[in-house]
Amino acid sequence: MTATRDIELPITGMTCAACAARVEKRLNRLDGVAASVNYGTQIASVHFDPAVASPEAMVEAVESAGYGALLPGRGRDAGHDDHAANGRRLWISAALGVPVAALSMVPALQFDYWQWVALVLATPVALWGAWPFHRAAWRNLRHGSAAMDTLISVGVLAAWGWSVAAMLLLDAGHRGMTMEFSLRPERDAAGGHIYLEVAALVTVLVLLGRHLEGRATGAARRSLTALAERGAKDAARIGDRGREERVPVAALRVGDRFVVRPGERIATDGDVEDGASSVDNALITGESVPVDVGPGARVVGGAINVSGRLVVRATRVGADTALAQIGRLVGRAQAGKASVQRLADRVSAVFVPAVIGFAVVTFAGWMLSGGSATAAFTAAVAVLIIACPCALGLATPTALMVGTGRGAQLGILIRGPEVLESTRRIDTVVLDKTGTVTTGRMHVAGVTPMPGESAERVLRVAAALESASEHPVARAVVEAAGGAPAAVERFANHEGRGVSGLVDGVAARAGRPAWLAEGGAVAPPEAAAASASAGQAGDTVVGVAWDGRVRGVIAVRDQPKRSSADAVAALRGMGLDAVLLTGDNAAAARTAADAVGIDRVISDVLPAGKDREIVGLQRAGHVVAMVGDGVNDAPALARADLGIAIGTGTDVAVEASDITLMSGDLRGVGDAIALSRRTLATIKGNLFWAFAYNVVAIPLAALGYLNPVIAGAAMAFSSVFVVTNSLRLRGFRPRRHAPE
């Protein structure tokens, strides 16, 4: 069976949401293809079966619809050139069009035959300045469709053509030819109005709107682009003979060793082998306070080495690095569509033909009601020009671009637009304990050997068994034992209970005391007393048994993160209930919960039980967010209405989540929910104003209350308003303020 693939195709030539809908429809007609086209990002996200579809076929399909597509890796340099060319077109058109408006609006500037001067100035604007609209309209007409450019092209050409016909066919001296600029055109007895200022100024205003829109959407995209560009470009790789050589980052391979000097960016993800320094991870986690690293510490590509010299061994390169993963997650989020956008897409698909039909009805209505041809023409042109599906198409993608880009800057990765809907409904936040509420940097607080045993041997056996586990408790035991752990055979991990194997040829177990008892291990009274004492202190208890008897009890202790209490208080301030869900014993869980201000605790829960607890809360009517960092949290993260992974945890937890916090600061949970809710509110606000604008403006234009020039200015403003409203998300400020 052929594996399916995902690619992104940059699309060229789209000028409104109707264009995006047309390209999406054409791609989805291909066998084995499921596509989503985002007007704001100008990207087609395609999921396809290589056995029946190819990228080349997709490009042909897009071109057959009258647009262009670039194969992955071909770049998008043309977009920058087009923006510069459109800027030049705008300023030249403005230089010619503004005098036309001045001649028509200021009687003192008018002189004999000034109309012919206005025609000479307006013609290049109406034909050359508006050429992008005419070209797109003709392209759409050839394919039997219409888009935003069709409305502009028809409106401009109608105003210019009417004016030329009036000037050539009517006797100016006897027909009283005038130019008109009023909110409601009155009937001219002579019937010889000309609309050169409409043709010129509408072109200039729409070009200005497109130019401002392009600059604003470019600013919206820059957060993600800057994220990728701020990675290191080269690295000082250590060769076979220990000599350094400067190589591009792309040349690094897993296992390569490279040097990072003070002030340099770390080339790729890796483990520190030598040296000590402070590292600024702000690019990845959003945390501005550097963290200390030394041998054995993990570092990520893109972080800045602040002080000392480091030697790092690469563990991830290329597309596998944290920075690349961030780019993919943010790109995936920006390419998606929120459910609220789908209504706008359906409206945009029929919007332009409906507006053209409404303009015809407007003209006919004025004529049938006894209005003049001039008034009917003015109202019909105003309807064409003021209608704006662009604002509908930009409402969601621009807010998503800015919101997810700002999140990436803060170390908050939002997986997709559907996540935004989930955050709005959340009423309960379930928090894992170890590594989420607590630091996860556990240490052995005490070892109680049973009579006849030594603490050293108990630790040695436990460390041998735990050495194959990644659990924080296991790591604490191994570190406490020191040195290389003894070899273990027939190792088995009993999820949520403990581990077992042969140590020095003897069957041994380490884990929950109750699990040891279930396995037949006999516990002396001293074991129960030691377990009870450790439990009352809030410690995690690990029993160690071999030869059928419990030989010792190890108490492992963790500390709440300094930020956890603030995080819980922030969640409560947002009207959310916090619940602590952990596999630890009730005493340890209660101690941690009291330290951070959580009232409800669910303890002694196995990994499979966490999933069931989430289901139980959902059945009780709660909309649940789960926050965790470990492998055993992945099922619960996937089950919850909203999964939030602490990015310092495991890859499987990150993959199962909807939101990833790249830092370990629990206050990021409140920040993530707040940013998601604010992004969703911005999307809905954009859509409301985009719909309201068209609902109000089109009838006003049809009734003759809007001059076409004012209509053009309003249309351009509507798109710019949506984009600039979205850009306000760049000012989102997190609650985090203190280092962990």
Side-chain angles (χ1 to χ4, degrees):
M1 183 177 178
T2 306
T4 57
R5 289 179 52 198
D6 294 293
I7 63 169
E8 290 186 343
L9 298 176
I11 307 298
T12 60
M14 295 194 302
T15 56
C16 69
C19 299
R22 194 166 301 118
V23 173
E24 182 173 297
K25 185 176 180 180
R26 189 62 60 94
L27 284 171
N28 285 324
R29 286 178 182 172
L30 298 175
D31 292 337
V33 170
S36 175
V37 179
N38 190 310
Y39 170 55
T41 60
Q42 303 280 295
I43 291 287
S45 300
V46 186
H47 181 76
F48 70 103
D49 183 352
V52 294
S54 67
E56 291 75 14
M58 298 172 204
V59 171
E60 291 178 5
V62 173
E63 291 175 346
S64 71
Y67 303 91
L70 300 175
L71 290 172
R74 297 292 176 86
R76 302 193 68 188
D77 294 338
H80 177 75
D81 296 338
D82 289 345
H83 185 68
N86 289 337
R88 291 191 295 270
R89 189 181 299 272
L90 165 63
W91 302 125
I92 293 173
S93 297
L96 297 172
V98 170
V100 175
L103 287 172
S104 67
M105 297 168 60
V106 183
L109 297 178
Q110 296 173 359
F111 51 86
D112 290 342
Y113 303 109
W114 62 268
Q115 301 94 335
W116 296 98
V117 174
L119 177 63
V120 170
L121 294 174
T123 297
V125 179
L127 300 183
W128 174 81
W131 175 246
F133 314 134
H134 305 325
R135 180 179 56 196
W138 172 247
R139 179 186 62 206
N140 289 321
L141 181 62
R142 287 173 53 203
H143 291 86
S145 60
M148 181 67 207
D149 288 321
T150 305
L151 303 179
I152 304 302
S153 177
V154 171
V156 169
L157 289 178
W160 179 80
W162 177 289
S163 301
V164 171
M167 293 176 67
L168 293 178
L169 299 178
L170 299 177
D171 182 353
H174 295 89
R175 308 294 275 171
M177 185 169 57
T178 63
M179 277 191 157
E180 181 176 294
F181 189 91
S182 62
L183 292 180
R184 178 166 183 165
E186 301 296 337
R187 189 175 188 275
D188 184 345
H193 292 83
I194 61 176
Y195 292 92
L196 292 175
E197 85 284 7
V198 171
L201 284 188
V202 165
T203 298
V204 171
L205 289 169
V206 176
L207 285 174
L208 176 62
R210 290 276 174 90
H211 182 70
L212 295 176
E213 177 187 311
R215 290 184 60 181
T217 52
R221 295 188 187 100
R222 273 197 290 272
S223 58
L224 179 57
T225 304
L227 188 68
E229 291 178 348
R230 286 169 63 186
K233 301 298 185 293
D234 54 24
R237 183 173 62 187
I238 300 175
D240 295 337
R241 298 183 180 181
R243 298 181 62 182
E244 294 182 24
E245 54 179 346
R246 210 75 194 177
V247 298
V249 168
L252 288 177
R253 298 292 179 265
V254 173
D256 284 352
R257 298 166 68 239
F258 59 93
V259 175
V260 188
R261 292 180 172 79
E264 292 183 338
R265 287 196 181 275
I266 297 171
T268 192
D269 298 0
D271 295 332
V272 176
E273 288 199 343
D274 185 42
S277 180
S278 294
V279 173
D280 181 354
N281 290 314
L283 178 64
I284 307 298
T285 67
E287 297 288 350
S288 58
V289 179
V291 296
D292 295 332
V293 298
R298 292 181 180 179
V299 291
V300 293
I304 299 175
N305 181 21
V306 177
S307 51
R309 178 181 182 273
L310 297 175
V311 176
V312 179
R313 185 176 295 277
T315 56
R316 292 180 179 180
V317 297
D320 295 329
T321 63
L323 193 60
Q325 290 173 354
I326 290 173
R328 284 198 300 274
L329 284 172
V330 177
R332 185 190 309 169
Q334 295 183 347
K337 292 183 180 180
S339 59
V340 291
Q341 176 66 16
R342 302 194 184 278
L343 173 62
D345 287 349
R346 289 194 293 271
V347 171
S348 298
V350 298
F351 186 89
V352 174
V355 169
I356 293 175
F358 191 69
V360 173
V361 170
T362 298
F363 185 87
W366 275 84
M367 296 299 294
L368 292 174
S369 63
S372 68
T374 296
F377 175 82
T378 302
V381 170
V383 167
L384 289 173
I385 292 173
I386 201 164
C388 185
C390 295
L392 292 174
L394 290 168
T396 294
T398 52
L400 273 177
M401 279 192 293
V402 181
T404 55
R406 179 58 178 154
Q409 291 176 334
L410 300 173
I412 301 169
L413 305 185
I414 302 170
R415 184 171 292 272
E418 65 282 352
V419 173
L420 305 178
E421 296 282 0
S422 300
T423 62
R424 178 178 59 85
R425 299 179 292 112
I426 293 299
D427 58 38
T428 302
V429 179
V430 177
L431 303 169
D432 173 53
K433 173 179 169 286
T434 304
T436 302
V437 171
T438 63
T439 63
R441 295 187 290 271
M442 307 187 82
H443 64 279
V444 172
V447 180
T448 305
M450 297 300 100
E453 296 295 340
S454 66
E456 291 76 13
R457 188 179 182 194
V458 170
L459 262 181
R460 180 177 180 276
V461 173
L465 293 170
E466 301 282 16
S467 62
S469 173
E470 286 296 317
H471 195 280
V473 170
R475 291 198 297 268
V477 171
V478 173
E479 289 174 3
V488 59
E489 301 175 45
R490 300 181 188 177
F491 171 82
N493 179 42
H494 306 271
E495 190 176 25
R497 295 175 173 85
V499 292
S500 63
L502 294 178
V503 180
D504 298 332
V506 177
R509 287 187 168 201
R512 293 172 179 261
W515 175 64
L516 298 182
E518 291 172 6
V522 178
E526 292 85 353
S531 298
S533 176
Q536 290 174 359
D539 296 336
T540 297
V541 179
V542 179
V544 185
W546 64 84
D547 284 341
R549 292 183 64 84
V550 175
R551 305 291 179 166
V553 173
I554 302 174
V556 181
R557 185 170 298 168
D558 193 7
Q559 296 294 325
K561 298 175 182 176
R562 286 183 290 169
S563 60
S564 294
D566 289 342
V568 172
L571 293 175
R572 285 182 168 174
M574 298 170 69
L576 303 173
D577 292 329
V579 177
L580 187 66
L581 178 63
T582 177
D584 279 351
N585 62 73
R590 185 72 263 169
T591 299
D594 289 342
V596 299
I598 297 177
D599 295 328
R600 185 175 179 183
V601 176
I602 305 174
S603 59
D604 293 300
V605 181
L606 298 178
K610 290 186 177 182
D611 183 51
R612 288 194 296 270
E613 293 292 343
I614 297 295
V615 172
L617 288 169
Q618 292 170 329
R619 287 177 177 172
H622 297 289
V623 182
V624 182
M626 171 68 192
V627 185
D629 74 322
V631 173
N632 59 3
D633 298 321
L637 287 168
R639 176 73 64 183
D641 299 285
L642 179 68
I644 303 177
I646 300 293
T648 51
T650 61
D651 290 342
V652 67
V654 172
E655 285 299 318
S657 66
D658 301 306
I659 295 176
T660 299
L661 307 179
M662 297 306 294
S663 78
D665 193 329
L666 196 60
R667 286 173 294 186
V669 173
D671 294 336
I673 294 175
L675 176 60
S676 297
R677 288 180 172 180
R678 184 168 165 186
T679 302
L680 180 63
T682 301
I683 290 173
K684 290 186 173 182
N686 285 346
L687 287 171
F688 170 80
W689 288 112
F691 275 114
Y693 161 82
N694 284 290
V695 168
V696 173
I698 293 176
L700 285 177
L703 293 172
Y705 286 102
L706 292 177
N707 178 276
V709 173
I710 296 176
M715 186 274 292
F717 172 76
S718 67
S719 294
V720 175
F721 169 80
V722 166
V723 177
T724 52
N725 186 49
S726 298
L727 287 175
R728 293 190 305 119
L729 288 168
R730 293 196 298 180
F732 177 83
R733 292 289 181 267
R735 296 172 183 267
R736 287 170 284 169
H737 54 81
E740 178 58 33

